[in-house]
Amino acid sequence: MPNEKSSLIGLTRGELESFVQQIGEPAYRGRQLYDGLYRRRLRSFAEMTDLPLALRTWLSEYARIGELQVERSSGPAKDHTRKFLLRLDDGLFIESVFLPESPGQTVCISSQVGCAIGCTFCATGKMGFSRNLTAAEIILQVLEIERLSGTSVTNIVLMGMGEPLHNYENVVKALKIFTDSEGMSLSPSRITVSTVGIIPMIERWCAENPPAKLAISLHATTDERRDQIVPANRAFPLEDLMKSLRRLAHVTRFPVTFEYIMIADFNDRREDAANLRHLLRNIPAKMNLIRLHPTGSGLTPSSDDAIDRFMGWLVEEGIDCTVRESRGVEDSAACGMLYAQEPHPPLSRINRDE
Ligand code: SAH
Ligand code: SF4
């Protein structure tokens, strides 16, 4: 049953101040609520003992903190990764992944139910698009994983289901709460938002400079090839994207991180390394090479030798690169493998009091 009471998680300090003022309380009660919800991560109004009893009782009756139902969890896998299937109030599902010691306590969270882009290699892309997540649903993924794992999250990557820049407003609202020193207090340099490269939204990012790093999913070095696997490239071709990214690097003064899935004989050729040097000219860049995870796409992953060879060519071209360790593959919890729909692989039921 959907819960009719609206969730307080997701509201900013100012919104919580207005909320309490509407019921005749002074604004500072809103700031106390904000502190209880985000800094102290309290999960019930009863624990907010700095609020008067009458207000706590009123809140318990007419408001709620907000939660996501943990439908199932998998893991911990050999590499300690755990994947969670979470049910939203309207009955839709999303997946989130906990990657402890990677090296921080990292959560990979979703920004949408499904994704409208439809990249050929990505399991989420095959689901189609259902809806954007609210700021509350984005934040609650982190809070639920902290609760279930008993740890404090230090790093967040928006690399789960969905295209974050198609849900700009809610994602940025969540980023501000994640990084507010009086809120969840995470460092902006430890939050990464991954995008296929929605140019108008990158322009908006340049203008507003939200508190997170942007990573770009590149995956091919010519428009002709990128069009085949990342349909958004038709609207936002490579040279236009690079122009925006030059601005981004200038505004943020950080190198731009690129993600590059290694596909055999498709993007791991000598000429791809040369094309990259040309594309990335005047962009301080870091390339993250990613193994193609199996999603039934029919594409063949590059071999380890091919990846090593490609890295050598990138070094020759003067491009800074690393190979990203693939985690969570055995439980379909790795990049691009999130697909939150029934039927689902058998996962253990989780005890909510765990
Ligand atoms: N929509 C955003 C963020 C979610 S996808 C984006 O595309 O960037 C997060 C990362 O997973 C992206 O870099 C994406 O390219 C990668 N990914 C998708 N499918 C994959 C697969 N089969 N193997 C490896 N990485 C994959
Ligand atoms: Fe969407 Fe990213 Fe998957 Fe492409 S890779 S379909 S943009 S989630």
Side-chain angles (χ1 to χ4, degrees), residues 115 117-119 121-122 125 162 196:
C115 181
I117 306 274
C119 302
F121 46 79
C122 172
V196 278

Side-chain angles (χ1 to χ4, degrees), residues 121-179:
F121 46 79
C122 172
T124 307
K126 294 197 176 77
M127 293 173 61
F129 173 70
S130 296
R131 70 168 172 87
N132 280 334
L133 295 187
T134 61
E137 290 163 337
I138 296 169
I139 295 168
L140 280 167
Q141 293 172 68
V142 177
L143 294 177
E144 295 294 3
I145 289 183
E146 283 195 334
R147 185 174 62 79
L148 291 158
S149 62
T151 45
S152 296
V153 163
T154 57
N155 297 53
I156 299 175
V157 292
L158 275 101
M159 294 189 186
M161 295 165 52
E163 168 47 50
L165 296 192
H166 272 173
N167 186 13
Y168 186 98
E169 303 277 346
N170 293 337
V171 164
V172 168
K173 189 174 185 193
L175 292 176
K176 289 181 179 162
I177 291 172
F178 286 149
T179 55

Side-chain angles (χ1 to χ4, degrees), residues 195-226:
T195 175
V196 278
I198 311 296
I199 292 176
M201 293 298 124
I202 295 176
E203 292 296 322
R204 187 164 170 197
W205 191 281
C206 291
E208 298 176 2
N209 203 5
K213 292 185 303 185
L214 211 50
I216 311 299
S217 293
L218 196 59
H219 312 322
T221 66
T222 62
D223 284 322
E224 187 262 303
R225 295 213 163 191
R226 197 163 186 263

Side-chain angles (χ1 to χ4, degrees), residues 82 245 262 277 353:
R82 289 178 78 183
L245 296 178
M262 299 294 299
R277 181 176 51 94
D353 300 324

Side-chain angles (χ1 to χ4, degrees), residues 8 17 45 89 102 137 167 181 184 241 254 295 310 319:
L8 296 192
E17 285 172 357
F45 296 118
D89 280 349
S102 58
E137 290 163 337
N167 186 13
S181 57
M184 292 176 67
L241 176 59
F254 272 116
T295 56
F310 192 66
I319 298 171

